Amino acid sequence: MMQKTKVKSLIVFVFLLTLFYGFTFILIDFIDTPVSSIKDIFLVSLRWGYMVAMTAVLLYFLSVNKYIFAVTFPILSVLCSVLSYYKLTFHVELTQMVIDLALINDFRTSFDAISWQLVLLIIIILLLSILTVIYRFKHIKVKYGFLQLIAFFLLLFFIDSNYTISKPLVRHTPYSIYYSFKSYFENKRLIAETRPDFQEKVQCKSDSITVVFVLGESLSAKNMQINGYKRNTTPYICKEKNLINLSHIYSEYGYTHESVPYILTRADHQHPDIGYEERSFISLFKKAGFKTTWLANQESINTFVYFMNECDTLINVSNGKSLFIFSKWLDEDILPHYKKVLNNGLAKQFLLVHTVGSHWYYNNHYPERFKKYNPVTQSKIVSSNSHEEIINAYDNTILYSDYIWHLLINELRHRNAILIYLSDHSENLGEDGHYTHGDGDWPAQHYPGGFVWYSDKFKSLYPDKISHLEQNKDKAYNTSFLFYSILDAGDIYSSFLNHPENIFR
């Protein structure tokens, strides 16, 4: 009877802690999820319930040893309260980029992000945690606590190695703390990799040239007006006289984490692993005397974080934004940084602008003034939206992207400059009943939008390049064309330029 009482007291204790976590920290992760029906609310509630259940498991095993509980519970509770505060007030969450920024910022910058409300919240949570620890010491007795801890670590290993189980945990409190720091240290390891540099001797003969590569997201070529789409989704680029549309591009992969390494390196259909073994064309730009900058309005992913750090300068624009926070995440945030980099007085510059573009949830990625096509989606649950609503919201993202391209181009008009746009992949938009790009690898995901814009000065200096580009514009290319073509666009001389996929030859 005594043993049953001990077990019961522990279960009640953990149950109460789980309720507290579930209706404070965890609930905050879900309250802004767009829903449009009772079914949506039910599905979101199921996800919340799963997180609550997994949190109960965590709290149970932390509680079986009073000394471990005394250390971990106050720390965990304070961290969860801080994350919840920033999610509610600034609509940001913990990512490896946020960790990186917090560590590199000086004390004054970090202190500016702390308010008296946050300090008060931390004090309250810390006091409650201490009282909880005291209660645990006085009233909870656990038998075989050490053995249960071993069982917990085995269970944690199983959860971490099982994608189906761990996927919902990655971005939700409290497990997001573990996974964010895990990602941070994994990325640091990848950045520190020693990849052999190109032995190729390269040279840029231009005294002054600017090359901009805009890496897009989920843009389908068939939904671009410039490709004959029925809607007016690309009014700005349709008016550009110095713009060559590339309407027949095939993306080898339908997901960002696979397509980006493929695009940036010499990887091709026969040699896809090169994307994880070699450096990117960024290294060649640096060898040719270019100042290189990566402007990131997306989270870094371990498959291409190495290339982000190949650049001389990495600027994270998306600070704390993620696909799990449903507030506006716009590419116009790139513009102030873009202008500042361009105006630094350097003669040879390469900029990689990584946009969030047309990523799902579409409504988040265009401002209200670009909501031209209505009605739009009202729910994060794809199946709860009509085909018309999804297409309308998606086309609005393209209309907004067209405006962003226009602004990027405007800063280059009076320079010797060229801008290449290429989306990482396309998007499922109802073909065979599939939407977005998260439910498998389907044909519609492999036909991204792409184009090349050049200034009048660039055209006058390199007429042969433009002539060849005009001749090649209707040819079918794999996204592997970029490596060779962008070097030629930068007037960088090397043996790579003779590759058959070079669109400027």
Side-chain angles (χ1 to χ4, degrees):
M1 180 65 70
M2 182 64 69
Q3 183 62 33
K4 288 183 179 180
T5 302
K6 290 178 181 179
V7 172
K8 183 178 178 181
S9 63
L10 177 60
I11 291 174
V12 171
F13 179 71
V14 171
F15 175 75
L16 293 174
L17 293 183
T18 303
L19 282 181
F20 175 71
Y21 268 59
F23 286 100
T24 52
F25 309 137
I26 301 173
L27 186 62
I28 288 171
D29 284 353
F30 293 89
I31 56 174
D32 66 343
T33 303
V35 292
S36 62
S37 66
I38 297 298
K39 184 189 80 170
D40 292 356
I41 295 173
F42 175 73
L43 291 173
V44 172
S45 298
L46 283 180
R47 294 174 186 174
W48 171 81
Y50 178 78
M51 283 306 307
V52 170
M54 295 304 291
T55 301
V57 173
L58 174 64
L59 292 173
Y60 176 85
F61 284 107
L62 291 181
S63 300
V64 295
N65 183 288
K66 60 185 178 182
Y67 299 107
I68 290 177
F69 184 78
V71 174
T72 59
F73 183 73
I75 294 173
L76 182 65
S77 297
V78 168
L79 286 174
C80 288
S81 66
V82 171
L83 294 180
S84 297
Y85 172 82
Y86 283 113
K87 284 177 184 178
L88 283 176
T89 56
F90 294 100
H91 304 290
V92 299
E93 70 170 24
L94 186 65
T95 65
Q96 75 88 18
M97 280 188 176
V98 169
I99 296 171
D100 212 26
L101 287 169
L103 293 177
I104 64 175
N105 278 340
D106 58 31
F107 176 77
R108 182 176 178 179
T109 303
S110 300
F111 188 78
D112 288 342
I114 300 174
S115 66
W116 69 265
Q117 294 95 332
L118 177 59
V119 173
L120 180 60
L121 175 63
I122 291 172
I123 292 172
I124 292 171
I125 293 297
L126 194 57
L127 288 174
L128 289 174
S129 298
I130 292 171
L131 291 174
T132 304
V133 168
I134 293 171
Y135 181 88
R136 163 68 183 85
F137 267 76
K138 287 185 176 180
H139 300 287
I140 307 296
K141 306 294 181 183
V142 180
K143 196 173 182 181
Y144 307 120
F146 181 72
L147 292 176
Q148 291 190 59
L149 275 177
I150 294 175
F152 169 66
F153 285 112
L154 292 174
L155 179 62
L156 185 63
F157 175 79
F158 171 74
I159 291 172
D160 193 36
S161 59
N162 189 304
Y163 181 74
T164 303
I165 298 174
S166 64
K167 182 182 178 182
L169 306 178
V170 171
R171 286 302 177 80
H172 293 300
T173 309
Y175 285 91
S176 61
I177 299 170
Y178 165 73
Y179 283 105
S180 294
F181 277 95
K182 179 185 177 184
S183 174
Y184 172 77
F185 288 113
E186 171 66 9
N187 284 350
K188 287 298 180 186
R189 183 189 67 79
L190 292 168
I191 293 166
E193 280 185 355
T194 303
R195 297 194 186 188
D197 200 356
F198 294 100
Q199 297 305 308
E200 181 79 9
K201 291 184 178 180
V202 296
Q203 181 183 9
C204 176
K205 293 186 177 179
S206 296
D207 294 328
S208 178
I209 186 170
T210 301
V211 179
V212 176
F213 172 47
V214 181
L215 177 56
E217 172 65 56
S218 306
L219 178 62
S220 173
K222 71 182 183 64
N223 281 59
M224 298 173 69
Q225 174 195 358
I226 200 169
N227 287 323
Y229 186 52
K230 61 183 179 181
R231 283 179 164 175
N232 187 26
T233 54
T234 58
Y236 281 108
I237 65 170
C238 281
K239 296 175 184 176
E240 290 289 347
K241 63 173 183 172
N242 291 350
L243 188 139
I244 304 296
N245 185 44
L246 303 173
S247 57
H248 301 291
I249 299 174
Y250 181 83
S251 173
E252 195 72 19
Y253 299 104
Y255 296 90
T256 301
H257 70 280
E258 293 174 310
S259 61
V260 172
Y262 186 90
I263 289 171
L264 299 183
T265 66
R266 291 194 303 154
D268 56 28
H269 182 73
Q270 287 77 30
H271 309 95
D273 290 343
I274 286 178
Y276 307 97
E277 298 168 352
E278 289 190 356
R279 299 190 185 192
S280 72
F281 55 71
I282 296 168
S283 285
L284 292 169
F285 270 91
K286 291 171 70 174
K287 290 182 74 170
F290 283 75
K291 176 71 173 180
T292 58
T293 303
W294 187 303
L295 298 172
N297 198 26
Q298 283 211 41
E299 299 175 73
S300 59
I301 297 177
N302 57 10
T303 58
F304 60 80
V305 68
Y306 179 90
F307 308 122
M308 297 175 71
N309 287 270
E310 274 188 286
C311 283
D312 298 305
T313 304
L314 169 60
I315 300 174
N316 294 313
V317 178
S318 64
N319 305 337
K321 296 185 178 73
S322 83
L323 303 177
F324 295 87
I325 291 184
F326 302 100
S327 59
K328 291 299 181 183
W329 179 357
L330 303 174
D331 281 327
E332 62 193 58
D333 294 340
I334 294 170
L335 296 172
H337 304 281
Y338 178 76
K339 293 177 181 179
K340 184 176 180 180
V341 170
L342 285 177
N343 294 322
N344 62 13
L346 296 174
K348 298 177 185 178
Q349 294 204 70
F350 168 79
L351 290 82
L352 194 154
V353 181
H354 194 185
T355 61
V356 73
S358 298
H359 204 296
W360 179 260
Y361 181 62
Y362 306 136
N363 292 16
N364 288 353
H365 304 309
Y366 60 86
E368 287 302 303
R369 67 184 188 277
F370 281 86
K371 192 166 73 171
K372 177 178 179 179
Y373 303 109
N374 287 285
V376 297
T377 53
Q378 298 298 320
S379 174
K380 176 65 166 56
I381 313 294
V382 175
S383 60
S384 295
N385 302 287
S386 69
H387 175 75
E388 179 190 11
E389 289 170 337
I390 292 173
I391 297 301
N392 287 341
Y394 182 79
D395 286 349
N396 288 336
T397 67
I398 301 177
L399 186 66
Y400 177 62
S401 290
D402 176 68
Y403 170 70
I404 297 298
W405 303 330
H406 170 68
L407 296 180
L408 295 175
I409 288 170
N410 277 348
E411 298 299 317
L412 304 174
R413 294 192 189 278
H414 303 297
R415 301 169 180 262
N416 176 27
I418 186 166
L419 179 148
I420 300 177
Y421 173 88
L422 178 63
S423 183
D424 54 1
H425 53 79
S426 184
E427 190 82 322
N428 295 310
L429 296 169
E431 298 88 352
D432 299 318
H434 302 293
Y435 289 92
T436 72
H437 59 276
D439 68 339
D441 190 11
W442 306 103
Q445 296 169 215
H446 294 271
Y447 298 93
F451 62 82
V452 179
W453 175 90
Y454 47 89
S455 67
D456 289 335
K457 188 173 183 179
F458 186 95
K459 182 179 180 179
S460 66
L461 290 172
Y462 316 109
D464 289 344
K465 295 183 193 295
I466 301 306
S467 176
H468 290 134
L469 180 60
E470 287 273 8
Q471 295 170 22
N472 295 328
K473 66 179 181 179
D474 294 322
K475 292 181 180 179
Y477 286 99
N478 187 286
T479 53
S480 55
F481 83 88
L482 186 72
F483 182 92
Y484 312 98
S485 304
I486 201 164
L487 294 175
D488 207 345
D491 200 28
I492 296 175
Y493 287 80
S494 79
S495 62
F496 292 132
L497 303 189
N498 296 320
H499 196 279
E501 287 191 303
N502 183 352
I503 61 177
F504 296 101
R505 293 288 169 121

mmCIF file with all atom_site columns, all heavy atoms in Angstrom, residues 339-353:
data_model
loop_
_atom_site.group_PDB
_atom_site.id
_atom_site.type_symbol
_atom_site.label_atom_id
_atom_site.label_alt_id
_atom_site.label_comp_id
_atom_site.label_asym_id
_atom_site.label_entity_id
_atom_site.label_seq_id
_atom_site.pdbx_PDB_ins_code
_atom_site.Cartn_x
_atom_site.Cartn_y
_atom_site.Cartn_z
_atom_site.occupancy
_atom_site.B_iso_or_equiv
_atom_site.pdbx_formal_charge
_atom_site.auth_seq_id
_atom_site.auth_comp_id
_atom_site.auth_asym_id
_atom_site.auth_atom_id
_atom_site.pdbx_PDB_model_num
ATOM 1   N N   . LYS A 1 339 ? 20.718 47.295 -49.667 1.00 0.00 ? 339 LYS A N   1
ATOM 2   C CA  . LYS A 1 339 ? 21.178 48.625 -50.073 1.00 0.00 ? 339 LYS A CA  1
ATOM 3   C C   . LYS A 1 339 ? 22.483 49.000 -49.372 1.00 0.00 ? 339 LYS A C   1
ATOM 4   O O   . LYS A 1 339 ? 23.399 49.572 -49.981 1.00 0.00 ? 339 LYS A O   1
ATOM 5   C CB  . LYS A 1 339 ? 20.105 49.665 -49.764 1.00 0.00 ? 339 LYS A CB  1
ATOM 6   C CG  . LYS A 1 339 ? 18.838 49.522 -50.595 1.00 0.00 ? 339 LYS A CG  1
ATOM 7   C CD  . LYS A 1 339 ? 17.789 50.541 -50.178 1.00 0.00 ? 339 LYS A CD  1
ATOM 8   C CE  . LYS A 1 339 ? 16.510 50.378 -50.985 1.00 0.00 ? 339 LYS A CE  1
ATOM 9   N NZ  . LYS A 1 339 ? 15.459 51.343 -50.573 1.00 0.00 ? 339 LYS A NZ  1
ATOM 10  N N   . LYS A 1 340 ? 22.570 48.661 -48.108 1.00 0.00 ? 340 LYS A N   1
ATOM 11  C CA  . LYS A 1 340 ? 23.774 49.004 -47.339 1.00 0.00 ? 340 LYS A CA  1
ATOM 12  C C   . LYS A 1 340 ? 24.998 48.281 -47.885 1.00 0.00 ? 340 LYS A C   1
ATOM 13  O O   . LYS A 1 340 ? 26.075 48.874 -48.024 1.00 0.00 ? 340 LYS A O   1
ATOM 14  C CB  . LYS A 1 340 ? 23.567 48.634 -45.864 1.00 0.00 ? 340 LYS A CB  1
ATOM 15  C CG  . LYS A 1 340 ? 24.718 49.040 -44.962 1.00 0.00 ? 340 LYS A CG  1
ATOM 16  C CD  . LYS A 1 340 ? 24.409 48.726 -43.510 1.00 0.00 ? 340 LYS A CD  1
ATOM 17  C CE  . LYS A 1 340 ? 25.566 49.140 -42.609 1.00 0.00 ? 340 LYS A CE  1
ATOM 18  N NZ  . LYS A 1 340 ? 25.268 48.837 -41.174 1.00 0.00 ? 340 LYS A NZ  1
ATOM 19  N N   . VAL A 1 341 ? 24.828 47.001 -48.217 1.00 0.00 ? 341 VAL A N   1
ATOM 20  C CA  . VAL A 1 341 ? 25.954 46.224 -48.761 1.00 0.00 ? 341 VAL A CA  1
ATOM 21  C C   . VAL A 1 341 ? 26.374 46.780 -50.120 1.00 0.00 ? 341 VAL A C   1
ATOM 22  O O   . VAL A 1 341 ? 27.561 46.947 -50.398 1.00 0.00 ? 341 VAL A O   1
ATOM 23  C CB  . VAL A 1 341 ? 25.572 44.733 -48.879 1.00 0.00 ? 341 VAL A CB  1
ATOM 24  C CG1 . VAL A 1 341 ? 26.637 43.965 -49.658 1.00 0.00 ? 341 VAL A CG1 1
ATOM 25  C CG2 . VAL A 1 341 ? 25.381 44.115 -47.501 1.00 0.00 ? 341 VAL A CG2 1
ATOM 26  N N   . LEU A 1 342 ? 25.392 47.093 -50.970 1.00 0.00 ? 342 LEU A N   1
ATOM 27  C CA  . LEU A 1 342 ? 25.707 47.603 -52.303 1.00 0.00 ? 342 LEU A CA  1
ATOM 28  C C   . LEU A 1 342 ? 26.436 48.940 -52.251 1.00 0.00 ? 342 LEU A C   1
ATOM 29  O O   . LEU A 1 342 ? 27.239 49.260 -53.140 1.00 0.00 ? 342 LEU A O   1
ATOM 30  C CB  . LEU A 1 342 ? 24.424 47.758 -53.125 1.00 0.00 ? 342 LEU A CB  1
ATOM 31  C CG  . LEU A 1 342 ? 23.792 46.476 -53.670 1.00 0.00 ? 342 LEU A CG  1
ATOM 32  C CD1 . LEU A 1 342 ? 22.492 46.797 -54.391 1.00 0.00 ? 342 LEU A CD1 1
ATOM 33  C CD2 . LEU A 1 342 ? 24.742 45.742 -54.613 1.00 0.00 ? 342 LEU A CD2 1
ATOM 34  N N   . ASN A 1 343 ? 26.162 49.717 -51.241 1.00 0.00 ? 343 ASN A N   1
ATOM 35  C CA  . ASN A 1 343 ? 26.734 51.068 -51.153 1.00 0.00 ? 343 ASN A CA  1
ATOM 36  C C   . ASN A 1 343 ? 27.992 51.144 -50.296 1.00 0.00 ? 343 ASN A C   1
ATOM 37  O O   . ASN A 1 343 ? 28.333 52.199 -49.764 1.00 0.00 ? 343 ASN A O   1
ATOM 38  C CB  . ASN A 1 343 ? 25.675 52.034 -50.614 1.00 0.00 ? 343 ASN A CB  1
ATOM 39  C CG  . ASN A 1 343 ? 24.526 52.208 -51.593 1.00 0.00 ? 343 ASN A CG  1
ATOM 40  O OD1 . ASN A 1 343 ? 24.728 52.252 -52.800 1.00 0.00 ? 343 ASN A OD1 1
ATOM 41  N ND2 . ASN A 1 343 ? 23.304 52.292 -51.072 1.00 0.00 ? 343 ASN A ND2 1
ATOM 42  N N   . ASN A 1 344 ? 28.680 50.005 -50.151 1.00 0.00 ? 344 ASN A N   1
ATOM 43  C CA  . ASN A 1 344 ? 29.886 50.011 -49.314 1.00 0.00 ? 344 ASN A CA  1
ATOM 44  C C   . ASN A 1 344 ? 31.141 50.456 -50.063 1.00 0.00 ? 344 ASN A C   1
ATOM 45  O O   . ASN A 1 344 ? 32.241 50.459 -49.509 1.00 0.00 ? 344 ASN A O   1
ATOM 46  C CB  . ASN A 1 344 ? 30.108 48.629 -48.690 1.00 0.00 ? 344 ASN A CB  1
ATOM 47  C CG  . ASN A 1 344 ? 30.327 47.543 -49.734 1.00 0.00 ? 344 ASN A CG  1
ATOM 48  O OD1 . ASN A 1 344 ? 30.560 47.818 -50.904 1.00 0.00 ? 344 ASN A OD1 1
ATOM 49  N ND2 . ASN A 1 344 ? 30.221 46.292 -49.302 1.00 0.00 ? 344 ASN A ND2 1
ATOM 50  N N   . GLY A 1 345 ? 30.973 50.803 -51.358 1.00 0.00 ? 345 GLY A N   1
ATOM 51  C CA  . GLY A 1 345 ? 32.086 51.369 -52.112 1.00 0.00 ? 345 GLY A CA  1
ATOM 52  C C   . GLY A 1 345 ? 33.028 50.364 -52.732 1.00 0.00 ? 345 GLY A C   1
ATOM 53  O O   . GLY A 1 345 ? 34.021 50.756 -53.372 1.00 0.00 ? 345 GLY A O   1
ATOM 54  N N   . LEU A 1 346 ? 32.742 49.061 -52.604 1.00 0.00 ? 346 LEU A N   1
ATOM 55  C CA  . LEU A 1 346 ? 33.620 48.044 -53.172 1.00 0.00 ? 346 LEU A CA  1
ATOM 56  C C   . LEU A 1 346 ? 33.324 47.841 -54.660 1.00 0.00 ? 346 LEU A C   1
ATOM 57  O O   . LEU A 1 346 ? 32.164 47.869 -55.079 1.00 0.00 ? 346 LEU A O   1
ATOM 58  C CB  . LEU A 1 346 ? 33.467 46.730 -52.417 1.00 0.00 ? 346 LEU A CB  1
ATOM 59  C CG  . LEU A 1 346 ? 33.892 46.781 -50.939 1.00 0.00 ? 346 LEU A CG  1
ATOM 60  C CD1 . LEU A 1 346 ? 33.575 45.480 -50.244 1.00 0.00 ? 346 LEU A CD1 1
ATOM 61  C CD2 . LEU A 1 346 ? 35.379 47.101 -50.818 1.00 0.00 ? 346 LEU A CD2 1
ATOM 62  N N   . ALA A 1 347 ? 34.364 47.592 -55.435 1.00 0.00 ? 347 ALA A N   1
ATOM 63  C CA  . ALA A 1 347 ? 34.209 47.523 -56.898 1.00 0.00 ? 347 ALA A CA  1
ATOM 64  C C   . ALA A 1 347 ? 33.603 46.204 -57.363 1.00 0.00 ? 347 ALA A C   1
ATOM 65  O O   . ALA A 1 347 ? 32.774 46.179 -58.273 1.00 0.00 ? 347 ALA A O   1
ATOM 66  C CB  . ALA A 1 347 ? 35.559 47.733 -57.563 1.00 0.00 ? 347 ALA A CB  1
ATOM 67  N N   . LYS A 1 348 ? 34.014 45.101 -56.753 1.00 0.00 ? 348 LYS A N   1
ATOM 68  C CA  . LYS A 1 348 ? 33.532 43.783 -57.180 1.00 0.00 ? 348 LYS A CA  1
ATOM 69  C C   . LYS A 1 348 ? 32.746 43.141 -56.040 1.00 0.00 ? 348 LYS A C   1
ATOM 70  O O   . LYS A 1 348 ? 33.306 42.876 -54.970 1.00 0.00 ? 348 LYS A O   1
ATOM 71  C CB  . LYS A 1 348 ? 34.706 42.882 -57.563 1.00 0.00 ? 348 LYS A CB  1
ATOM 72  C CG  . LYS A 1 348 ? 35.527 43.384 -58.737 1.00 0.00 ? 348 LYS A CG  1
ATOM 73  C CD  . LYS A 1 348 ? 36.710 42.460 -58.994 1.00 0.00 ? 348 LYS A CD  1
ATOM 74  C CE  . LYS A 1 348 ? 37.601 43.028 -60.092 1.00 0.00 ? 348 LYS A CE  1
ATOM 75  N NZ  . LYS A 1 348 ? 38.797 42.183 -60.334 1.00 0.00 ? 348 LYS A NZ  1
ATOM 76  N N   . GLN A 1 349 ? 31.469 42.923 -56.296 1.00 0.00 ? 349 GLN A N   1
ATOM 77  C CA  . GLN A 1 349 ? 30.611 42.384 -55.244 1.00 0.00 ? 349 GLN A CA  1
ATOM 78  C C   . GLN A 1 349 ? 29.757 41.236 -55.752 1.00 0.00 ? 349 GLN A C   1
ATOM 79  O O   . GLN A 1 349 ? 29.225 41.280 -56.870 1.00 0.00 ? 349 GLN A O   1
ATOM 80  C CB  . GLN A 1 349 ? 29.693 43.468 -54.688 1.00 0.00 ? 349 GLN A CB  1
ATOM 81  C CG  . GLN A 1 349 ? 30.408 44.574 -53.964 1.00 0.00 ? 349 GLN A CG  1
ATOM 82  C CD  . GLN A 1 349 ? 29.497 45.264 -52.976 1.00 0.00 ? 349 GLN A CD  1
ATOM 83  O OE1 . GLN A 1 349 ? 29.119 44.710 -51.949 1.00 0.00 ? 349 GLN A OE1 1
ATOM 84  N NE2 . GLN A 1 349 ? 29.129 46.483 -53.293 1.00 0.00 ? 349 GLN A NE2 1
ATOM 85  N N   . PHE A 1 350 ? 29.625 40.218 -54.900 1.00 0.00 ? 350 PHE A N   1
ATOM 86  C CA  . PHE A 1 350 ? 28.678 39.136 -55.144 1.00 0.00 ? 350 PHE A CA  1
ATOM 87  C C   . PHE A 1 350 ? 27.736 39.071 -53.952 1.00 0.00 ? 350 PHE A C   1
ATOM 88  O O   . PHE A 1 350 ? 28.173 38.996 -52.800 1.00 0.00 ? 350 PHE A O   1
ATOM 89  C CB  . PHE A 1 350 ? 29.377 37.790 -55.314 1.00 0.00 ? 350 PHE A CB  1
ATOM 90  C CG  . PHE A 1 350 ? 28.422 36.628 -55.291 1.00 0.00 ? 350 PHE A CG  1
ATOM 91  C CD1 . PHE A 1 350 ? 27.678 36.310 -56.420 1.00 0.00 ? 350 PHE A CD1 1
ATOM 92  C CD2 . PHE A 1 350 ? 28.231 35.880 -54.132 1.00 0.00 ? 350 PHE A CD2 1
ATOM 93  C CE1 . PHE A 1 350 ? 26.761 35.257 -56.406 1.00 0.00 ? 350 PHE A CE1 1
ATOM 94  C CE2 . PHE A 1 350 ? 27.319 34.826 -54.107 1.00 0.00 ? 350 PHE A CE2 1
ATOM 95  C CZ  . PHE A 1 350 ? 26.582 34.517 -55.243 1.00 0.00 ? 350 PHE A CZ  1
ATOM 96  N N   . LEU A 1 351 ? 26.421 39.088 -54.231 1.00 0.00 ? 351 LEU A N   1
ATOM 97  C CA  . LEU A 1 351 ? 25.411 38.981 -53.176 1.00 0.00 ? 351 LEU A CA  1
ATOM 98  C C   . LEU A 1 351 ? 24.493 37.804 -53.473 1.00 0.00 ? 351 LEU A C   1
ATOM 99  O O   . LEU A 1 351 ? 23.979 37.674 -54.595 1.00 0.00 ? 351 LEU A O   1
ATOM 100 C CB  . LEU A 1 351 ? 24.553 40.245 -53.077 1.00 0.00 ? 351 LEU A CB  1
ATOM 101 C CG  . LEU A 1 351 ? 25.182 41.520 -52.550 1.00 0.00 ? 351 LEU A CG  1
ATOM 102 C CD1 . LEU A 1 351 ? 25.959 42.235 -53.651 1.00 0.00 ? 351 LEU A CD1 1
ATOM 103 C CD2 . LEU A 1 351 ? 24.105 42.463 -51.995 1.00 0.00 ? 351 LEU A CD2 1
ATOM 104 N N   . LEU A 1 352 ? 24.309 36.954 -52.487 1.00 0.00 ? 352 LEU A N   1
ATOM 105 C CA  . LEU A 1 352 ? 23.311 35.895 -52.575 1.00 0.00 ? 352 LEU A CA  1
ATOM 106 C C   . LEU A 1 352 ? 22.157 36.283 -51.667 1.00 0.00 ? 352 LEU A C   1
ATOM 107 O O   . LEU A 1 352 ? 22.329 36.426 -50.457 1.00 0.00 ? 352 LEU A O   1
ATOM 108 C CB  . LEU A 1 352 ? 23.885 34.542 -52.169 1.00 0.00 ? 352 LEU A CB  1
ATOM 109 C CG  . LEU A 1 352 ? 23.029 33.320 -52.530 1.00 0.00 ? 352 LEU A CG  1
ATOM 110 C CD1 . LEU A 1 352 ? 23.904 32.072 -52.682 1.00 0.00 ? 352 LEU A CD1 1
ATOM 111 C CD2 . LEU A 1 352 ? 21.909 33.055 -51.543 1.00 0.00 ? 352 LEU A CD2 1
ATOM 112 N N   . VAL A 1 353 ? 20.985 36.462 -52.266 1.00 0.00 ? 353 VAL A N   1
ATOM 113 C CA  . VAL A 1 353 ? 19.796 36.889 -51.535 1.00 0.00 ? 353 VAL A CA  1
ATOM 114 C C   . VAL A 1 353 ? 18.849 35.706 -51.439 1.00 0.00 ? 353 VAL A C   1
ATOM 115 O O   . VAL A 1 353 ? 18.239 35.297 -52.427 1.00 0.00 ? 353 VAL A O   1
ATOM 116 C CB  . VAL A 1 353 ? 19.100 38.074 -52.247 1.00 0.00 ? 353 VAL A CB  1
ATOM 117 C CG1 . VAL A 1 353 ? 17.884 38.523 -51.459 1.00 0.00 ? 353 VAL A CG1 1
ATOM 118 C CG2 . VAL A 1 353 ? 20.075 39.225 -52.445 1.00 0.00 ? 353 VAL A CG2 1
#
